[in-house]
Amino acid sequence: MKTFIPLLALIALPVWAQDALEGWAVHPTDKPYAELVDATKAAIKENGLIVVTQAGPTKAAAARGITIPGNRVIGAFNNDYAVRVLETSTNAMIEAPIRFYVTENEGGTATLSYKTPSFVFAPYASEGGQALLNIATELDTKFQSVAEDAVK
């Protein structure tokens, strides 16, 4: 029983602590999950980025007979940023693409969240210097625009 309670707390963590996570931008919406996924992908394209990856356990769980709330990770980046990041720090490219996270809430709404690019790239500042920090700040603005477009 002792291991059950900490495990339960870890499972519940994203639900009740997501707003408090350092470096995260969280955008609750009134949109349904599928609509927010589509709006996020469209906003990524509209803001000059490319959907590089997508992953989520929802459909695979359903195929196994398990129902879980909608959950999709959408990686976004583009080649211009990739080349520029690589010019500053080879190691920082492990973080690309930077991900948006769409989660389905109780009541049918969805939330769009992401780690800010400046937070994601901060550990590489000693290698990438001010040039990498400038790219991260530029991406912060771009990711904020994607989020604003997706949730409106």
Side-chain angles (χ1 to χ4, degrees):
M1 183 66 172
K2 286 183 181 180
T3 59
F4 177 72
I5 292 172
L7 179 59
L8 183 59
L10 285 174
I11 292 169
L13 181 66
V15 174
W16 58 265
Q18 192 170 15
D19 289 332
L21 293 174
E22 181 183 356
W24 283 63
V26 179
H27 301 270
T29 74
D30 291 329
K31 290 185 176 188
Y33 167 76
E35 185 178 325
L36 185 56
V37 168
D38 291 343
T40 301
K41 291 190 289 188
I44 288 167
K45 183 177 180 179
E46 290 168 10
N47 283 278
L49 297 172
I50 298 166
V51 173
V52 179
T53 60
Q54 291 187 66
T58 310
K59 288 183 181 178
R64 296 175 43 224
I66 302 168
T67 302
I68 61 172
N71 187 294
R72 176 67 59 102
V73 176
I74 305 168
F77 221 59
N78 71 23
N79 187 258
D80 177 60
Y81 285 112
V83 169
R84 290 171 57 203
V85 168
L86 281 169
E87 289 172 347
T88 70
S89 168
T90 301
N91 293 324
M93 273 303 291
I94 190 73
E95 304 297 345
I98 300 173
R99 297 169 308 274
F100 289 94
Y101 189 31
V102 181
T103 52
E104 186 174 26
N105 306 318
E106 288 185 27
T109 63
T111 298
L112 176 62
S113 307
Y114 60 93
K115 291 181 186 178
T116 62
S118 59
F119 181 78
V120 170
F121 286 129
Y124 309 95
S126 62
E127 180 182 352
Q130 191 59 49
L132 179 62
L133 296 176
N134 292 344
I135 294 166
T137 300
E138 188 178 323
L139 283 165
D140 283 346
T141 301
K142 188 154 300 260
F143 269 59
Q144 178 65 33
S145 293
V146 168
E148 289 172 1
D149 290 348
V151 303
K152 67 179 179 186

